[in-house]
Amino acid sequence: MTRRPIRPIRLRGLRVDYPRRGRSNWRRWVPSWRQVLSGILLGSGALAGLFAGVYTSVDIPDENAEARRQGTVYYWADGSQMVSVGAVDRQNVTLADIPDSVEHAVIAAENETFYSDPGVSAKGIARAAVSMVKGGETQGGSTITQQYVKNTYLSQEQSATRKFKEFFISLKLSNKQSKKEILQGYLNTSWFGRGAYGVQAAAHAYYGIPAKDLDPSRAALLASLLKGAEQYDPAGGKGNHERAVARWKWILDRQVEIGTMTKAERAAYQKFPEPRPAAKPTSLGGQTGYLVDIANKYIKKRSGLTDKDLFRGGYRVHTTFDKARVGQLERAVRSVRKRDLDPEKRPEDKHVEVGAASVRSDGAVVAVYGGADAVTHFANNADTAGVPVGSAFKPFVLAAALQHGDGITLDSGYDSEGRLIKDGPYAAPPTPPGAGPGQVMVTAPTTLRDALVKSSNATFVLLGKGIGLKKVKELTVSAGLHEKSLARLDKSFPLGTSTPSAVRMADAYTAFSNDGMRADPYSVTRMTRDGEVVEGFGKPEPRRAMDASVANDVNNTLGMVAWTRLRRDGKFAAFAGPKAADDLSAGATGEDDRMKSAWFIGHSKGLTTAVTMFRSKPGTPQLLGMQGVGGPDSGRGNVFPLRIWSAYAMGT
């Protein structure tokens, strides 16, 4: 077979010497330097032409309707409107009303070459391209001009198309507007958190002053928020505060490095300028602010949206919250506080806080009580970890023993030597070595069933040690408690030193009344924006936390706990009647707990409700003792969560 010769390439009658004549083997395929240079010139010309064509075709759009946008509307479970949030808090100011210290801080923090660059960052574009090739998230704009374009002319979507438009509009804008005009626009449209768009609104939100009165120290704090208010607002918790202080220092030091602040000026700002507490709009008063807080946390977790995105508005959020149930729970808390607590006469009744959450078996959060008023009490007591759960944790220890302990049943127990007897009569278990004063011995023979009803600390310390604390931890995580809320695995772990939220405790207890199945708590069923459905919402899939037989054994025992506690508290003994007993189960803190908190978790009428009460030192996370709350006959306050739950369950 004769091989046909390879003919040189011809372009419109022009003969190109490729493959190269007069060369043999692989050398024929190596282009000459003239060919390489020609290729580079042709390619560069083509790219330049393409660039010019795209540059010409992309117009600077009209400013988006940021100031005219609709708020985000939240709806009750029945479809009626709960609240509309997100009216723009923005007041445009000129650079003449913004001190140089703000300009210097922002440029040092965000774009030190602002006055010399063409409005775009080649490194930023390259970084974004690499990230997209790797399948990562699209990177944000690197220059102040790009960020201004994104804020003012484009959507916040993270896509290659948006980055493409941002690049060319930024170039055009740099040729059309002066740097001063761009900087002024940027400072008036940037998000600073706390609902504030623009430096004027931010100055009022964080310091209660106009922007013209900001000193270099406060300006540096506001500049740090541009990196992400959710991470750098000092009011967002300990981690936020630490990040804010570190970035504040860096911005001040950076100004010295780039020559916009002298070392002497920097030395004058050593104390962090603490902003004032965050304030919520009055429309979020009462329980509404707590409900929106829970919904927003869920939205951010499921959709990836940020507070900044939500404040831009236009969303329609359909929640699981039942308006009647929320009101009923709030009335129950208020009625018990009014009747049984008297902070004017008893100092022990001061600084008492209550948190509560009511959850369906499918995980839907139906009602919460987060505090007296979301406008004045910012912490959401229903969804904040930090309060020890006490003996309400013991059902998980019992469930772990029944699940993993070979042959262990509710009729198992410990003999007088601390040995587990799986079946038979038992003497009281001894007090564990090194046990604290709260770990008293039971005074009569007991089974594991009796130990839960009597809240025997000694029995559960031995039980946790016997089956392994890791097994207990694994089961509680399977039931839905966040691992980060669980205490360290020591001998006190089975006694409830962990600090889960009321929402998580209520949800975890649904496994006991639902044959061992449970679903993650959810608060949003559907979400749209401009008629388009936001993906990521719907009922979470139920998962098995424990065997059905284990759940039923624990649930039946919890019914005995509820019956005992309700009968003991004469004020609500009427609730513990025959009809209620068939649909009743509960766990609670016991008399032997070291009282830093009191809990009651009850299941009735298809809802599992967790109620916690604690005392906290104002302005700090420090918990105060519950001794004496409600008077000497109150059982150190542990009767009040029960009374709140009873009032709520009865609808009084």
Side-chain angles (χ1 to χ4, degrees):
M1 180 177 178
T2 303
R3 181 176 296 178
R4 296 178 60 186
I6 298 176
R7 298 180 181 275
I9 298 173
R10 291 181 179 274
L11 297 176
R12 294 186 180 182
L14 177 65
R15 186 175 184 279
V16 179
D17 186 19
Y18 192 83
R20 297 170 67 190
R21 293 176 298 172
R23 301 290 190 274
S24 60
N25 300 329
W26 58 270
R27 293 179 179 84
R28 299 185 64 197
W29 302 96
V30 178
S32 68
W33 67 269
R34 292 184 181 86
Q35 291 172 333
V36 172
L37 180 60
S38 298
I40 292 174
L41 292 175
L42 285 172
S44 298
L47 287 176
L50 178 62
F51 185 91
V54 174
Y55 182 87
T56 303
S57 64
V58 174
D59 295 322
I60 299 177
D62 294 332
E63 290 191 8
N64 58 30
E66 192 66 37
R68 301 188 303 275
R69 80 188 194 288
Q70 297 178 343
T72 290
V73 182
Y74 296 81
Y75 298 92
W76 295 103
D78 63 5
S80 60
Q81 182 172 320
M82 179 196 308
V83 67
S84 179
V85 179
V88 178
D89 180 8
R90 183 171 71 195
Q91 304 170 44
N92 290 344
V93 291
T94 65
L95 277 185
D97 295 319
I98 300 174
D100 290 344
S101 59
V102 174
E103 179 179 338
H104 295 159
V106 169
I107 289 176
E110 295 295 308
N111 183 191
E112 66 181 76
T113 62
F114 171 68
Y115 280 110
S116 61
D117 65 38
V120 295
S121 167
K123 289 182 178 179
I125 297 298
R127 186 170 62 248
V130 170
S131 178
M132 285 185 286
V133 168
K134 291 182 177 179
E137 294 184 358
T138 304
Q139 302 295 307
S142 297
T143 70
I144 284 176
T145 304
Q146 286 176 265
Q147 294 179 53
Y148 173 50
V149 166
K150 183 176 66 174
N151 291 343
T152 309
Y153 300 105
L154 301 173
S155 70
Q156 298 298 302
E157 66 172 325
Q158 294 291 306
S159 67
T161 301
R162 200 269 295 159
K163 290 293 297 182
F164 183 80
K165 290 180 179 179
E166 177 190 298
F167 177 83
F168 283 97
I169 294 173
S170 297
L171 282 177
K172 274 199 166 183
L173 193 68
S174 291
N175 293 325
K176 182 179 179 181
Q177 294 185 3
S178 70
K179 289 290 188 177
K180 289 289 186 182
E181 289 175 314
I182 292 172
L183 181 61
Q184 177 177 293
Y186 174 71
L187 291 174
N188 280 321
T189 58
S190 291
W191 166 254
F192 288 87
R194 300 194 181 186
Y197 279 95
V199 68
Q200 180 79 342
H204 282 289
Y206 286 87
Y207 293 109
I209 59 176
K212 65 182 180 64
D213 293 337
L214 289 168
D215 61 23
S217 182
R218 291 171 171 174
L221 183 277
L222 294 187
S224 72
L225 298 168
L226 295 171
K227 189 173 178 65
E230 292 173 309
Q231 298 294 317
Y232 290 89
D233 182 348
K238 182 179 179 181
N240 272 31
H241 195 278
E242 291 175 349
R243 283 188 291 270
V245 171
R247 188 156 178 81
W248 167 79
K249 290 180 179 178
W250 178 83
I251 291 173
L252 290 173
D253 292 339
R254 189 64 181 155
Q255 291 179 70
V256 175
E257 292 178 17
I258 65 177
T260 55
M261 178 181 286
T262 67
K263 290 183 178 180
E265 290 172 329
R266 171 65 182 93
Y269 304 110
Q270 298 297 323
K271 183 179 180 181
F272 182 70
E274 295 287 354
R276 64 183 186 176
K280 291 186 178 180
T282 55
S283 61
L284 295 178
Q287 298 306 302
T288 303
Y290 303 124
L291 298 172
V292 169
D293 174 65
I294 288 175
N296 285 350
K297 284 182 179 178
Y298 186 73
I299 289 169
K300 289 183 285 186
K301 177 182 177 182
R302 299 285 296 191
S303 69
L305 294 172
T306 66
D307 283 333
K308 179 180 178 180
D309 297 325
L310 293 173
F311 266 101
R312 287 185 177 277
Y315 294 97
R316 299 293 179 265
V317 181
H318 298 265
T319 74
T320 59
F321 306 127
D322 185 310
K323 183 177 182 179
R325 288 284 186 181
V326 171
Q328 194 171 312
L329 185 55
E330 185 175 27
R331 288 192 297 273
V333 174
R334 289 182 175 178
S335 65
V336 171
R337 289 186 70 118
K338 182 178 180 180
R339 181 179 58 245
D340 296 326
L341 302 181
D342 191 349
E344 297 297 326
K345 294 183 179 179
R346 281 191 298 268
E348 296 85 355
D349 290 357
K350 292 182 178 180
H351 312 310
V352 171
E353 296 289 343
V354 175
S358 195
V359 180
R360 279 201 318 253
S361 59
D362 66 350
V365 182
V366 173
V368 302
Y369 178 87
D373 190 331
V375 172
T376 58
H377 177 76
F378 302 134
N380 189 341
N381 296 341
D383 197 35
T384 301
V387 181
V389 74
S391 291
F393 189 80
K394 291 174 182 173
F396 300 114
V397 184
L398 178 58
L402 298 176
Q403 181 78 32
H404 300 292
D406 184 22
I408 294 179
T409 69
L410 292 174
D411 293 318
S412 300
Y414 290 91
D415 64 14
S416 58
E417 301 298 324
R419 294 173 298 191
L420 179 67
I421 306 299
K422 295 180 180 178
D423 190 16
Y426 322 107
T431 300
Q439 298 178 11
V440 299
M441 288 175 52
V442 292
T443 57
T446 182
T447 62
L448 296 183
R449 179 188 292 106
D450 293 334
L452 185 62
V453 174
K454 298 174 182 178
S455 192
S456 169
N457 284 350
T459 296
F460 279 91
V461 169
L462 291 172
L463 188 60
K465 181 180 179 181
I467 61 173
L469 298 180
K470 288 185 178 180
K471 293 291 186 184
V472 177
K473 178 180 178 179
E474 289 170 0
L475 185 135
T476 58
V477 172
S478 295
L481 299 190
H482 283 311
E483 187 169 353
K484 64 182 180 181
S485 72
L486 299 179
R488 62 182 181 181
L489 301 184
D490 58 20
K491 62 186 177 185
S492 64
F493 181 72
L495 305 182
T497 50
S498 298
T499 58
S501 68
V503 170
R504 283 285 166 175
M505 280 298 288
D507 180 69
Y509 261 63
T510 62
F512 298 132
S513 57
N514 198 34
D515 293 328
M517 301 295 291
R518 47 82 52 183
D520 287 335
Y522 69 101
S523 54
V524 175
T525 58
R526 186 168 177 266
M527 187 174 177
T528 62
R529 192 174 196 272
D530 298 330
E532 297 292 328
V533 174
V534 178
E535 299 296 332
F537 299 98
K539 286 187 177 182
E541 290 294 325
R543 299 192 299 273
R544 180 160 297 283
M546 63 194 77
D547 291 344
S549 59
V550 170
N552 291 330
D553 280 347
V554 175
N555 196 54
N556 291 335
T557 309
L558 289 174
M560 298 173 63
V561 173
W563 182 275
T564 301
R565 299 298 171 88
L566 287 164
R567 293 290 296 271
R568 186 183 302 168
D569 185 14
K571 290 181 181 289
F572 290 95
F575 184 73
K579 293 183 179 180
D582 293 335
D583 185 32
L584 184 66
S585 65
T589 45
E591 295 291 342
D592 295 337
D593 287 339
R594 299 177 184 180
M595 295 296 291
K596 289 289 187 180
S597 62
W599 287 75
F600 191 86
I601 301 104
H603 174 81
S604 181
K605 301 177 182 177
L607 292 176
T608 302
T609 304
V611 182
T612 180
M613 178 180 282
F614 56 95
R615 296 176 69 220
S616 62
K617 188 175 181 179
T620 74
Q622 178 182 346
L623 297 182
L624 305 173
M626 291 285 287
Q627 292 82 356
V629 172
D633 299 325
S634 69
R636 291 178 289 184
N638 63 352
V639 299
F640 299 127
L642 163 64
R643 292 177 183 176
I644 291 169
W645 179 85
S646 300
Y648 171 63
M650 287 191 295
T652 58

